[in-house]
Amino acid sequence: EFDLYVLDGLNTMGLTNAGVLADLYTYMDNDANFKRETYYMNLWSLFEKNGCLYEFVPTFNIAGTYGAESVIGDRTGWTIDEFTTLADQYGGPRNLLVNNRSLVLGYMIQYGLFPYIDLENSTCDFTNEGFYQWLNFIGGFTTDSNYEAPLSCGWIYDFNQYYDLTVSTDDTIIVAGMPAEDAGGPVVMALNAYGISATTEHPELCWDFLMSLMEDETQERLTGFSMRRDRMEEQFRRATISNDNPDALFYGWTVGEEEAPYPCMTQESVDYFRNLLENINRCAFRNDDIYNIIIEEATAYFNETKDPISIETVAAQIQDRVLKCLQETAK
């Protein structure tokens, strides 16, 4: 019997369906020192299943499509048609987005598959015009990356990275969702996630360990954005201080041969990012089996490593394999 589970990046559906993990909301409610307003509960709640929270997430990444506001606009998400319209102004998708086809495929599964799959209800629908467009969109990218393109997709690991992106472009960096039928926004990705066994004989020790992950000393060592509001607010405050001030978040960072202090962030960029954290409303798709099915089938389709097949056929094959996977997991 285990007391704690390390859930980093895992699909927890099997564990939760089997009743292996405890509801952490119960632990929060029974801890007189735990104040929900101290944390980004709006982000923690994204890891709920059936109203219960099974994952303790001390730090997180955010992910989607990102770039300078002057290019991407102030959007939170976009459809494939909207992305394509902008890409046409740059001569095609590879001139707008840095990433190659392989990376775009992986990110579209993790961050842009939501219209076609419902993990909680074990259902999916890939045999429709929306998914055909999804596949064709990815197929429009080349196998090489274009590092001159103004937008990227993927993770933003921590506030240092966001700061660096902002000051290097001299613009607010906007983080939108991947192009998708539902034009959904960016996602949260859990880091260092843990769960408590529903049958542990040491619930207090387990909870004490999880709460130790939120202490300042531990948070300093963990990568990612903190789930603690006060820590993020302190970073926001210090990011706008001139970097020749020892209190600046990035004091000592320099640029150019003259080693001039890095510019500080604008209040506009800080306000944007604060608002972003308050409004993200989904977490990344996590199911390695389904991820690998779509990677295999889509890659074979793009590269014609199998006998040439129609887009309707590859979508039907994905539908059949993913549905079987969902049904097996739900048992």
Side-chain angles (χ1 to χ4, degrees):
E1 288 289 334
F2 298 104
D3 294 300
L4 287 165
Y5 288 84
V6 179
L7 305 173
D8 299 0
L10 296 179
N11 169 34
T12 60
M13 184 181 298
L15 292 173
T16 56
N17 288 348
V20 171
L21 299 176
D23 180 8
L24 299 179
Y25 282 145
T26 301
Y27 283 83
M28 293 176 182
D29 292 340
N30 290 337
D31 183 350
N33 295 318
F34 187 91
K35 307 298 181 186
R36 293 195 180 204
E37 60 271 19
T38 301
Y39 306 95
Y40 286 103
M41 294 304 299
N42 62 306
L43 300 181
W44 242 330
S45 70
L46 301 179
F47 298 93
E48 284 183 5
K49 290 180 176 60
N50 300 319
C52 298
L53 181 66
Y54 299 107
E55 297 181 64
F56 192 91
V57 181
T59 59
F60 59 91
N61 298 145
I62 58 175
T65 311
Y66 58 87
E69 185 175 15
S70 58
V71 176
I72 198 171
D74 61 356
R75 69 180 75 246
T76 57
W78 42 7
T79 64
I80 289 173
D81 286 339
E82 289 170 335
F83 180 94
T84 301
T85 297
L86 180 60
D88 287 344
Q89 300 176 26
Y90 288 80
R94 78 173 301 271
N95 293 325
L96 179 61
L97 198 64
V98 167
N99 311 75
N100 61 39
R101 182 194 296 157
S102 177
L103 289 173
V104 171
L105 173 59
Y107 292 142
M108 286 289 284
I109 296 171
Q110 290 179 294
Y111 319 142
L113 198 67
F114 303 102
Y116 314 112
I117 191 163
D118 181 348
L119 289 177
E120 286 202 9
N121 294 306
S122 300
T123 61
C124 60
D125 181 11
F126 294 100
T127 53
N128 59 73
E129 292 297 330
F131 188 67
Y132 302 158
Q133 184 188 38
W134 189 94
L135 282 171
N136 282 326
F137 169 72
I138 298 166
F141 287 86
T142 60
T143 56
D144 58 325
S145 300
N146 177 12
Y147 296 105
E148 301 300 317
L151 302 184
S152 296
C153 60
W155 305 359
I156 296 182
Y157 295 91
D158 57 22
F159 197 61
N160 285 18
Q161 184 189 1
Y162 182 75
Y163 164 84
D164 196 36
L165 289 168
T166 298
V167 299
S168 64
T169 59
D170 194 27
D171 198 352
T172 296
I173 295 297
I174 301 297
V175 188
M178 294 297 290
E181 189 174 347
D182 63 353
V187 301
V188 166
M189 302 184 67
L191 291 174
N192 309 301
Y194 296 88
I196 297 178
S197 169
T199 58
T200 180
E201 296 180 0
H202 310 286
E204 295 85 2
L205 288 176
C206 290
W207 182 245
D208 287 346
F209 169 75
L210 295 189
M211 289 308 298
S212 74
L213 300 175
M214 306 310 297
E215 295 174 357
D216 285 331
E217 184 178 351
T218 308
Q219 287 276 304
E220 288 289 342
R221 297 198 303 267
L222 295 177
T223 58
F225 299 98
S226 176
M227 198 63 84
R228 273 178 46 187
R229 289 179 177 274
D230 62 326
R231 287 192 62 83
M232 291 306 303
E233 286 297 331
E234 180 65 3
Q235 287 187 311
F236 297 157
R237 182 189 70 81
R238 296 175 60 202
T240 59
I241 298 174
S242 175
N243 283 329
D244 57 2
N245 184 325
D247 190 39
L249 184 60
F250 304 105
Y251 176 69
W253 287 35
T254 60
V255 62
E257 294 182 0
E258 297 179 0
E259 296 187 349
Y262 243 47
C264 58
M265 285 183 70
T266 65
Q267 189 62 51
E268 179 185 12
S269 291
V270 167
D271 290 344
Y272 164 78
F273 198 82
R274 178 187 288 112
N275 186 65
L276 175 68
L277 295 185
E278 297 293 347
N279 288 283
I280 294 177
N281 60 11
R282 57 174 55 168
C283 60
F285 176 81
R286 295 176 296 168
N287 187 302
D288 287 346
D289 292 333
I290 293 173
Y291 178 92
N292 290 332
I293 288 169
I294 299 174
I295 289 287
E296 178 186 336
E297 294 289 350
T299 300
Y301 172 69
F302 296 141
N303 297 339
E304 296 187 348
T305 54
K306 298 181 179 180
D307 292 335
I309 56 176
S310 68
I311 195 166
E312 292 83 4
T313 299
V314 72
Q317 291 173 177
I318 291 172
Q319 172 71 19
D320 181 62
R321 293 181 65 187
V322 170
L323 185 58
K324 288 179 180 177
C325 182
L326 289 170
Q327 292 170 342
E328 284 295 319
T329 305
K331 289 180 180 178

